[in-house]
Amino acid sequence: MFQSDVKGEQASILFEAAENVRRSVLDVLRERRDLEVKELKRVLDLSAHNAIRETLSNLGASMNVVSEEGEYTLGGGEAHLIVDPIDGTTNLARGVGYATTSIAISETPYLSGTLAAIVMELNSGLAYWAERGKGAWLGDSRIKPSGPAGVKDAMISIDISKGSYLRSLERLIYKAGHLRQLGCASISLCHVASGRIDAHIDYRGALRATDAAAALFILKEAGGVYIIDGAMDNDLMLSRGSRLRLVAASSQGLLDEIMSLIGERQGFAFREATKTREL
Ligand SMILES: [Mg+2]
């Protein structure tokens, strides 16, 4: 079945916004290569933010928009849009492949109300997307997580930036056979959704709802599982202030094994994550 056969109105809006973001950031990358990385990042983020706002305005959308770069309301604000205009701006500005635009639309200010989501790779234009109850897709193809794997054989990505919480992950890191860090939470989660990697862990307590909401919805529609702040399928408020500790996996068995390896030190992890949040 082709995506055009199943894509509904909400997904079509998300595709249009994502394609406009991609066009605008590729223009910036082509025309502003002279900029220092820090300034290039600022220009890229602003350009992506504006592309989404313009797309929604042109479509006459009625939405509360919660974006990493700011919040605004269009029309009566009937739906809720949670947006990271660019996830992985540092990668993008430095020419490292992994960067996306991530957008989810919800009927409530919570992840549980999500109706549709897209995570589009900005370099390739590949789009991971999902609609409630209709499964998850990569372009025209249905995606699903990988089959059962133990930590020893699995490919696991862990965000260990600013690693003050690393002790809680020590046993997992020693046991894991294949570790990766991509610098882009949304693509890491979509890789779990599509079976490219088996699990993604972010225990910093610093992951934002804007980074993760769209990809978590896609992962769930694909059949993957996750734990937020220690609770299975925990809901998430779609606000700029929301921060989460996340373990996502292809299967319940792998998720349970990861949690058992973290478990002994979960007290440490919680205190460290709380401390990070207060900084
Ligand atoms: Mg961002």
Side-chain angles (χ1 to χ4, degrees):
M1 192 186 289
F2 293 103
Q3 67 184 50
S4 54
D5 295 329
V6 295
K7 205 195 298 169
E9 189 190 349
Q10 275 118 5
S12 300
I13 292 171
L14 301 185
F15 262 84
E16 188 165 341
E19 276 156 9
N20 286 339
V21 168
R22 179 166 184 253
R23 202 168 301 126
S24 90
V25 301
L26 293 182
D27 282 349
V28 170
L29 288 173
R30 204 165 28 244
E31 291 160 13
R32 306 299 303 275
R33 265 294 171 202
D34 53 315
L35 295 175
E36 296 289 325
V37 168
K38 194 175 170 192
E39 178 61 6
L40 181 57
K41 284 172 63 178
R42 193 190 65 77
V43 174
L44 284 166
D45 280 332
L46 184 64
S47 141
H49 177 76
N50 289 342
I52 289 171
R53 187 165 186 153
E54 277 166 30
T55 306
L56 297 173
S57 294
N58 291 341
L59 290 169
S62 172
M63 286 172 185
N64 280 311
V65 182
V66 176
S67 166
E68 193 191 343
E69 310 300 324
E71 290 182 49
Y72 52 92
T73 301
L74 297 168
E78 284 152 27
H80 299 265
L81 208 72
I82 181 111
V83 183
D84 190 357
I86 303 177
D87 182 24
T89 314
T90 305
N91 281 349
L92 190 65
R94 300 189 62 142
V96 175
Y98 296 112
T100 75
T101 186
S102 300
I103 317 171
I105 185 165
S106 177
E107 56 187 353
T108 70
Y110 292 90
L111 182 62
S112 55
T114 304
L115 300 168
I118 188 169
V119 171
M120 182 180 279
E121 287 187 19
L122 292 168
N123 284 299
S124 67
L126 284 173
Y128 297 84
W129 62 284
E131 287 181 309
R132 188 195 279 175
K134 293 185 183 172
W137 303 73
L138 171 55
D140 295 343
S141 306
R142 279 292 286 268
I143 53 172
K144 62 181 176 56
S146 57
V151 165
K152 204 164 159 290
D153 300 313
M155 183 177 282
I156 297 176
S157 72
I158 309 182
D159 195 323
I160 55 168
S161 311
K162 308 180 186 87
S164 61
Y165 54 91
L166 269 175
R167 271 191 302 169
S168 58
L169 300 177
E170 219 169 52
R171 289 199 305 159
L172 173 68
I173 289 169
Y174 276 112
K175 187 166 183 187
H178 309 277
L179 287 177
R180 299 290 184 274
Q181 174 168 301
L182 306 181
C184 178
S186 56
I187 203 66
S188 304
L189 291 167
C190 285
H191 281 179
V192 179
S194 57
R196 293 173 171 191
I197 63 176
D198 302 295
H200 177 65
I201 297 158
D202 191 331
Y203 240 59
R204 299 170 299 157
L207 181 64
R208 289 174 290 242
T210 47
D211 301 329
L216 282 174
F217 177 73
I218 291 166
L219 175 67
K220 195 166 184 187
E221 280 291 329
V225 290
Y226 57 80
I227 284 180
I228 292 175
D229 292 338
M232 196 70 206
D233 283 339
N234 208 359
D235 208 356
L236 180 62
M237 193 172 183
L238 303 178
S239 75
R240 289 174 79 203
S242 289
R243 298 287 187 274
L244 54 146
R245 284 180 302 128
L246 175 70
V247 180
S250 56
S251 69
Q252 191 65 48
L254 180 58
L255 188 71
D256 290 345
E257 189 186 355
I258 290 168
M259 292 313 291
S260 75
L261 288 165
I262 295 174
E264 197 179 271
R265 294 186 175 273
Q266 206 159 5
F268 280 112
F270 183 73
R271 280 199 299 279
E272 286 166 13
T274 306
K275 206 167 108 192
T276 308
R277 231 176 286 199
E278 285 165 358
L279 289 176

